[in-house]
Amino acid sequence: MTLKAVHEHSNCDDCPIRHRAVCAHCDKDELEELEDIKYYRSFEAGQTIIWSGDPMSFVGSVVSGIASLTQTMEDGRTQMVGLLLPSDFVGRPGRDCAPYDVVATTDLVMCCFRKKPFEEMMVTTPHIAQRLLQMTLDELDAAREWMLVLGRKTAREKIASLLSIIARRDASIHKSGMTGPIVFDLPLTREAMADYLGLTLETVSRQISALKKDQVISLEGKRHVTIPDMGRLMEEAGDDTDGGFLV
Amino acid sequence: MTLKAVHEHSNCDDCPIRHRAVCAHCDKDELEELEDIKYYRSFEAGQTIIWSGDPMSFVGSVVSGIASLTQTMEDGRTQMVGLLLPSDFVGRPGRDCAPYDVVATTDLVMCCFRKKPFEEMMVTTPHIAQRLLQMTLDELDAAREWMLVLGRKTAREKIASLLSIIARRDASIHKSGMTGPIVFDLPLTREAMADYLGLTLETVSRQISALKKDQVISLEGKRHVTIPDMGRLMEEAGDDTDGGFLV
DNA sequence: CAGATACTTTGACCGAGATCAAGTGGAAGC
DNA sequence: GCTTCCACTTGATCTCGGTCAAAGTATCTG
């Protein structure tokens, strides 16, 4: 199994790109012993998957739906520290306790591996560690990109940055090839957006209204967003137009 | 070479804990071919080591001094996204361009490896990828912890959080074993602190004065800090007293 | 020692975003 | 149809931290 081979194997429905390297049915012959340590779990919107500090018995990746990582202070202030879209990895091989809550933001399906056997597998199958390292480095870059958003951007820029990230990760962009308007449904409530951006939900609402008034975006209902000009949105986000968000 | 063996090998001056796993002279017999791809570089305070977007020909780790990772927007707003203390790893095996500036905050010595051979070595020596994965996961946790600081904490809490991180990573704490007052020199200017915390230097200065007035800290000169009660400082930071900052 | 430079402190004022409060709109249940 | 509920919007006001400005302090240089 080479990474190249993994990348070429791209039409696997519940086994998306960043998941493939650790997924059994993509490399049956080499990893078929996985079948008995791998299982699927479903969660309802709002359900907490893992509580911060709890022992974590599995690692896995998101198959469908959206999960979020959140940290909460004693007085209730919360900050979302990661958004997990399909194909994203969850878990920490080598550590027992979760450092933050993992919450299902929408209905969610995860593909899980029991942690112990997975860790053993990492030792015997070096490519897995290498693949996980790449994914973790990508997430680290995304987290650091987000630190700039949290630390230095205005409320308006924060909203534009979030919309731009969701737009880029959304399926529709792949089809349209980044030209023409981009359309998607917001998978987050105003409150969840506020928690991600370090704002209040009122400020989120006001800034979305302002972006709508200025025709940077248009809305049908509360959630269905159309972005007529992606370049314009990225200007509003304060990014140079070719900049590289990953999440 | 096992990780355990690596950990036991702890009296190696310019080869600190988190650096050891990839450092030649800790495991001469197994990795002696490293000698010709490894070299040291020195930098003066203020010098930029890598510019964002530049091709990166090496990876490495900090031997002495402090470096910082910073992101800058076109209009000049900057956010520090990481603080590199001795033993921290720098670089991205598998990616050519640096995603942010790396700047020497103090005079600095780095232990570098040419990137190509290092990447080849990662393939032939699986433990390196596994060790790097652990380190990267730790950094990811630290980055996410910092997102809470940037997004939700007040200026006073931000300062307390930064002091608490520096205190914990500082050598003196290891000696005193976390009881009694902790003493250290701030390795950052007020401006660098502001860039790390998403504040202005004026606000940093004011909050430090306030913490001094309230006897949470005391100062000799501008940089030499004494923390009489670490628990008190962590309350001010808004952390539960046993919480786990890493950086 | 005078002057220059870099870092820091402090004060006065202002504004972006938080807080508090009321109201809107749409979907679900009775 | 009416009520309830929830997510969202909008308005009025307040406040923390930003901005602009001035002055203090330590180090270095000639």
Side-chain angles (χ1 to χ4, degrees):
Chain A
M1 176 173 96
T2 66
L3 285 183
K4 188 155 179 299
V6 166
H7 276 112
E8 284 163 2
H9 185 161
S10 54
N11 278 20
C12 179
D13 261 343
D14 56 357
C15 182
I17 296 176
R18 301 173 69 181
H19 170 207
R20 238 171 287 142
V22 293
C23 181
H25 48 75
C26 288
D27 290 279
K28 272 245 166 54
D29 39 5
E30 192 168 359
L31 294 176
E32 59 190 351
E33 76 273 23
L34 270 185
E35 290 300 346
D36 60 339
I37 65 164
K38 168 175 164 262
Y39 55 96
Y40 288 89
R41 283 181 72 182
S42 297
F43 301 89
E44 284 173 24
Q47 217 180 333
T48 297
I49 300 169
I50 304 166
W51 293 96
S52 167
D54 275 7
M56 223 166 27
S57 62
F58 65 93
V59 300
S61 60
V62 176
V63 175
S64 67
I66 294 193
S68 60
L69 309 177
T70 56
Q71 282 188 311
T72 305
M73 295 171 67
E74 300 90 78
D75 59 9
R77 282 177 281 177
T78 71
Q79 175 67 49
M80 197 185 299
V81 297
L83 200 56
L84 298 172
L85 303 185
S87 86
D88 282 335
F89 184 80
V90 185
R92 266 222 57 165
R95 174 162 301 183
D96 288 330
C97 287
Y100 19 69
D101 300 334
V102 182
V103 182
T105 295
T106 64
D107 288 347
L108 185 75
V109 178
M110 288 197 48
C111 172
C112 305
F113 300 87
R114 290 192 297 118
K115 187 153 143 285
K116 267 270 176 56
F118 184 87
E119 284 169 354
E120 286 156 15
M121 208 175 61
M122 271 183 50
V123 176
T124 57
T125 316
H127 285 295
I128 294 181
Q130 284 167 36
R131 183 80 185 113
L132 276 181
L133 177 59
Q134 289 309 313
M135 290 170 55
T136 308
L137 283 166
D138 284 343
E139 274 185 80
L140 184 56
D141 281 348
R144 286 174 166 162
E145 188 86 46
W146 204 248
M147 285 170 64
L148 176 65
V149 173
L150 291 174
R152 293 299 185 194
K153 290 193 178 180
T154 64
R156 185 182 174 103
E157 288 168 336
K158 284 179 174 182
I159 299 287
S161 297
L162 179 57
L163 292 174
S164 139
I165 280 185
I166 294 173
R168 291 204 218 182
R169 285 281 311 241
D170 196 87
S172 67
I173 200 175
H174 301 138
K175 290 164 197 154
S176 74
M178 195 110 183
T179 63
I182 295 166
V183 178
F184 60 93
D185 282 301
L186 270 178
L188 302 174
T189 65
R190 300 290 186 263
E191 187 175 20
M193 293 174 71
D195 283 344
Y196 201 21
L197 295 167
L199 298 171
T200 59
L201 66 91
E202 294 95 328
T203 299
V204 170
S205 182
R206 273 186 253 274
Q207 293 300 332
I208 288 183
S209 298
L211 287 174
K212 188 169 60 176
K213 185 164 70 73
D214 299 345
Q215 299 178 16
V216 180
I217 62 174
S218 70
L219 285 182
E220 282 168 58
K222 311 294 186 188
R223 298 289 194 90
H224 193 76
V225 180
T226 304
I227 297 171
D229 178 354
M230 192 62 190
R232 172 79 193 286
L233 182 67
M234 287 171 68
E235 274 172 40
E236 291 286 354
D239 298 326
D240 36 19
T241 347
D242 55 51
F245 269 116
L246 293 163
V247 165
Chain B
M1 174 173 98
T2 66
L3 286 182
K4 188 154 179 300
V6 166
H7 276 113
E8 282 162 2
H9 185 161
S10 55
N11 277 22
C12 179
D13 261 344
D14 55 357
C15 183
I17 297 175
R18 301 173 68 183
H19 171 206
R20 240 171 285 141
V22 294
C23 181
H25 48 75
C26 288
D27 290 278
K28 272 244 168 54
D29 39 7
E30 191 168 359
L31 294 175
E32 59 189 350
E33 76 274 20
L34 271 185
E35 291 298 346
D36 59 339
I37 66 163
K38 167 175 165 263
Y39 54 97
Y40 289 89
R41 285 180 71 183
S42 297
F43 300 89
E44 285 173 23
Q47 215 180 333
T48 297
I49 299 169
I50 304 167
W51 293 96
S52 167
D54 274 8
M56 224 167 26
S57 62
F58 65 92
V59 300
S61 60
V62 176
V63 174
S64 67
I66 294 193
S68 59
L69 309 177
T70 56
Q71 281 189 312
T72 306
M73 295 171 66
E74 300 91 76
D75 60 9
R77 282 176 282 176
T78 71
Q79 175 66 48
M80 198 184 298
V81 297
L83 199 56
L84 298 172
L85 304 185
S87 85
D88 282 336
F89 185 79
V90 185
R92 267 222 59 163
R95 176 161 300 183
D96 287 331
C97 287
Y100 18 70
D101 299 334
V102 182
V103 183
T105 295
T106 63
D107 288 347
L108 184 75
V109 177
M110 287 197 47
C111 173
C112 305
F113 300 86
R114 290 193 296 121
K115 187 154 143 283
K116 266 272 175 56
F118 184 87
E119 285 169 353
E120 286 156 14
M121 208 175 60
M122 270 183 51
V123 176
T124 57
T125 316
H127 285 296
I128 294 181
Q130 284 166 35
R131 182 82 185 110
L132 276 181
L133 177 59
Q134 290 308 314
M135 290 170 56
T136 307
L137 284 166
D138 284 343
E139 273 185 80
L140 184 57
D141 282 348
R144 286 174 166 162
E145 188 86 47
W146 204 247
M147 285 170 65
L148 176 65
V149 174
L150 290 175
R152 293 298 185 195
K153 291 193 178 179
T154 64
R156 185 181 175 103
E157 289 169 335
K158 284 179 174 182
I159 299 287
S161 298
L162 179 58
L163 291 175
S164 137
I165 281 185
I166 294 173
R168 290 204 217 181
R169 285 280 311 240
D170 196 87
S172 67
I173 199 175
H174 301 139
K175 289 163 198 155
S176 74
M178 195 111 184
T179 62
I182 295 166
V183 178
F184 59 93
D185 282 302
L186 268 178
L188 301 174
T189 65
R190 299 291 185 260
E191 187 176 19
M193 294 174 70
D195 283 344
Y196 201 19
L197 296 167
L199 298 171
T200 60
L201 66 92
E202 293 95 329
T203 299
V204 170
S205 182
R206 274 186 254 273
Q207 295 299 333
I208 288 182
S209 297
L211 288 174
K212 189 170 59 177
K213 185 164 70 72
D214 299 343
Q215 298 177 18
V216 180
I217 61 174
S218 71
L219 286 181
E220 282 170 55
K222 312 295 184 185
R223 297 290 192 91
H224 193 75
V225 180
T226 303
I227 297 172
D229 178 354
M230 192 62 191
R232 173 78 194 286
L233 182 67
M234 286 170 66
E235 275 172 40
E236 291 285 355
D239 298 326
D240 36 21
T241 346
D242 55 49
F245 268 114
L246 292 162
V247 169

